[in-house]
Every structure is written in C-alpha cells, then in structure tokens.
Amino acid sequence: MLWKMVLGMELYPRIGKSFDIKVFTNCRFGMMSWAVLAVTYCIKQYEANAKVSDSVLVNTTLMLVCVTKFFWWEAGYLNTMDIAHD
C-alpha cells in the first residue's frame, strides 16, 4: 500500500468501472497490432516481389494462429500466474 502512495499509480488502472487500461494495452492493442503488422508485411512483400516467400507466409500464419488462440482463451490468460502476479 505504501508503494501506491509513493509512486502514485495503481497496479490495474481503470477508467470507470469496466475499462481496464492494462488489459487494453496488453491484450487488445498489443495483440491486434501484432496481427495487423504481420499481414501488412505480407502485403508489402507481395507488392514488392509479386509473391510472398514461404518463410514470411509461415511466420504470418503462425502469428495469426497465436493471436486467434489468445483471443479464444483470453479469460484464461488474464487469470494466469504471471499476469496475476504482474
């Protein structure tokens, strides 16, 4: 409790009762940005070379699978030990 007074910040800052800033920045913004960037790089490579290399295609596919899995199990992710401890 003393560290809150010294630093003047909360562990889980909120706006109102339902908007959690930490969840938004880590989950929504961060994970969605990762997916959008992966697809954008594929598009850029296609525009530059008229094809997408196998390595970029596999990397993008795996990233999209990871992001999809994250959003599918988001409630479980927020209850994991590293997030709860963080």
Side-chain angles (χ1 to χ4, degrees), residues 7-71:
L7 296 176
M9 58 193 252
E10 294 183 33
L11 191 56
Y12 296 100
R14 294 184 178 273
I15 296 175
K17 291 187 177 189
S18 62
F19 187 76
D20 189 339
I21 296 171
K22 183 176 180 181
V23 170
F24 176 75
T25 56
N26 287 350
C27 301
R28 302 278 190 258
F29 184 73
M31 295 301 278
M32 287 304 297
S33 297
W34 194 26
V36 169
L37 284 172
V39 172
T40 303
Y41 294 144
C42 275
I43 293 169
K44 183 62 178 174
Q45 188 177 49
Y46 183 77
E47 288 175 352
N49 303 331
K51 69 175 190 165
V52 179
S53 67
D54 293 341
S55 59
V56 172
L57 194 58
V58 168
N59 189 22
T60 301
T61 303
L62 291 175
M63 282 184 183
L64 292 176
V65 166
C66 181
V67 170
T68 302
K69 185 178 116 179
F70 168 79
F71 282 114

